[in-house]
Amino acid sequence: MKKILLLGGSAQQIIAIEAAKRLGYYTVLCDYLTDNPGRYLADKFYLRSTTDKETILNIAKEERVDGVVAYASEPAALTSAYVSENLGLPGNPYKSVEILCNKDKFREFLTIHGFFTPKARSYGAVEAAFDDINGDIFQSSVIVKPVDSSGSKGVSRIKKGESQNAIVQKLENAMDYSRRKCIIVEEFVEKYGYQIAGDGLSVNGRLVFRCFGNDHFDIHAPNPFVPVAASFPYNMPDIVQEKIHLEIQRLLTLLGMKTCTYNFDLRIDKDYNVYLMEVAPRNGGNYIPQVIQYATGVDLVECAIKAAMGEDLSYITSGIQKGFWSYYAVHSNYGGILDKVVLGDSVRQNNIVDNYIKKKKGDEMNAFTGAGDTLGCLIMKFESMNQMLEMMDNSNKWIKVRRK
């Protein structure tokens, strides 16, 4: 029996373990958390950090695994590429994955190769970033991010004229979330329409599948840059979507990517110029692959497992999207103890397909500052594009999270 090494066993990553077992593989799991639910499902478990490349490499050697996958985990994607490259397993070039997983390297690469990308600079010290923000380096408001985090943790917008204390606090917050202790400051890109979410798949370097959607945000959240929903399909004409597709393909070709699943975070401006904000070499979180499977019939979870094991995926095509689907991240804008999540009867009966709310009455909940602060997710269906966008943009009308 072939062995697959899975990096991460959270509630959202269980589906990858299930898919691997369903495909007939022996599953070896690494995770640094003692209470991760995946450990009870995998055939073998190691309590190890998925970002410790050398330790994971040694485990892969000892177990003689045939493939490595970092499902829905950007920090672990780099480890997966490192182990695969060192052991000659299916995977992508480590240097290319390193570029995709580090925002400073990614912005530099995009600039060198003539992509549309915001003016950006990286900093290892808050003081240097502060001086440039208050100088004439940046001509508009900026976004500050850790260069190597995911889930929108530590992301803030700094507008012209903000107080010095507020600027320093946002810079320090971003630095706290960076493993490398490095942040990036980039000019804010005014989007046209919705920010673009979605996942895709390349086979032997060719982008054979992509499913774009609309990102939705809660402007009242402590961190309004964390998506609370992604709805599918994307509400732009095919010609715009094809232009986005071609820019992603150009990137993948330049990087020498092979067979891989991706999570997209993109923007277009009023002239339909494409900004590749992030192209992460891993599946999306918040059950995006399951939503996409409802919409297209393509199982990107199985694709990720098969890609890691070097299996044939040449049969995958873009297909046709049917219906209107979304995930919704249930969240609270305040910390405290959860009393209950209140849903309207009509929504419960007509719109909710799968309920992945993990928090229960009496559980502690955090204010929504990053993807890890969700109470769980709902997968939803709708009768029309208008209904879908209206409900995702105005979720306060149909769901309430009550505290004790």
Side-chain angles (χ1 to χ4, degrees), residues 73-315:
S73 173
E74 198 161 327
L78 200 56
T79 302
S80 176
Y82 180 79
V83 172
S84 297
E85 191 165 273
N86 272 274
L87 297 184
L89 302 175
N92 292 285
Y94 177 78
K95 287 297 183 183
S96 298
V97 173
E98 187 177 38
I99 288 169
L100 293 176
C101 290
N102 288 274
K103 295 175 179 63
D104 53 341
K105 298 179 188 295
F106 186 48
R107 288 284 174 266
E108 181 182 13
F109 185 88
L110 294 176
T111 301
I112 290 170
H113 292 282
F115 289 86
F116 283 93
T117 191
K119 179 189 290 187
R121 288 194 177 186
S122 58
Y123 303 89
V126 166
E127 295 78 12
F130 178 85
D131 289 342
D132 280 358
I133 289 171
N134 281 299
D136 56 4
I137 298 297
F138 301 103
Q139 303 305 311
S140 62
S141 64
V142 298
I143 294 287
V144 56
K145 309 172 184 178
V147 298
D148 52 358
S149 72
S150 58
S152 301
K153 296 185 290 289
V155 178
S156 301
R157 183 176 181 178
I158 299 174
K159 297 180 180 180
K160 288 292 185 181
E162 282 199 42
S163 71
Q164 294 187 2
N165 286 342
I167 294 172
V168 170
Q169 185 176 19
K170 290 176 179 180
L171 293 171
E172 289 178 343
N173 182 53
M175 191 70 78
D176 287 342
Y177 279 104
S178 172
R179 293 182 302 280
R180 286 171 47 203
K181 294 306 172 189
C182 184
I183 59 176
I184 188 168
V185 177
E186 58 188 40
E187 289 188 345
F188 185 75
V189 177
E190 294 290 350
K191 66 183 184 296
Y192 179 71
Y194 287 94
Q195 181 166 297
I196 305 156
D199 277 18
L201 169 72
S202 66
V203 175
N204 298 322
R206 186 169 71 90
L207 185 63
V208 299
F209 176 87
R210 42 73 170 175
C211 185
F212 299 139
N214 317 285
D215 260 333
H216 302 265
F217 300 86
D218 182 348
I219 62 172
H220 302 294
N223 184 349
F225 299 103
V226 189
V228 298
S231 62
F232 299 82
Y234 179 43
N235 73 330
M236 281 288 176
D238 288 344
I239 190 170
V240 176
Q241 301 198 41
E242 186 59 26
K243 185 174 183 179
I244 297 168
H245 182 113
L246 292 174
E247 279 296 88
I248 296 171
Q249 181 62 71
R250 185 162 78 93
L251 172 70
L252 302 185
T253 300
L254 287 167
L255 288 171
M257 298 297 285
K258 299 176 184 177
T259 300
C260 185
T261 52
Y262 304 91
N263 177 241
F264 306 127
D265 181 3
L266 319 167
R267 289 189 172 199
I268 59 170
D269 63 20
K270 61 182 177 59
D271 298 316
Y272 295 148
N273 295 313
V274 179
Y275 289 78
L276 305 178
M277 306 307 292
E278 290 189 30
V279 178
R282 45 90 179 170
N283 298 68
N286 286 338
Y287 302 94
I288 284 179
Q290 289 90 322
V291 179
I292 289 175
Q293 187 173 2
Y294 278 117
T296 67
V298 174
D299 187 344
L300 287 176
V301 183
E302 282 200 2
C303 287
I305 300 299
K306 289 181 177 180
M309 299 299 284
E311 288 196 27
D312 176 44
L313 286 169
S314 61
Y315 62 91

Side-chain angles (χ1 to χ4, degrees), residues 350-366:
N350 300 319
N351 300 110
I352 296 176
V353 178
D354 294 318
N355 185 330
Y356 293 103
I357 298 177
K358 303 301 180 184
K359 293 285 188 179
K360 304 181 295 296
K361 182 177 178 131
D363 285 350
E364 187 175 351
M365 59 185 185
N366 298 323

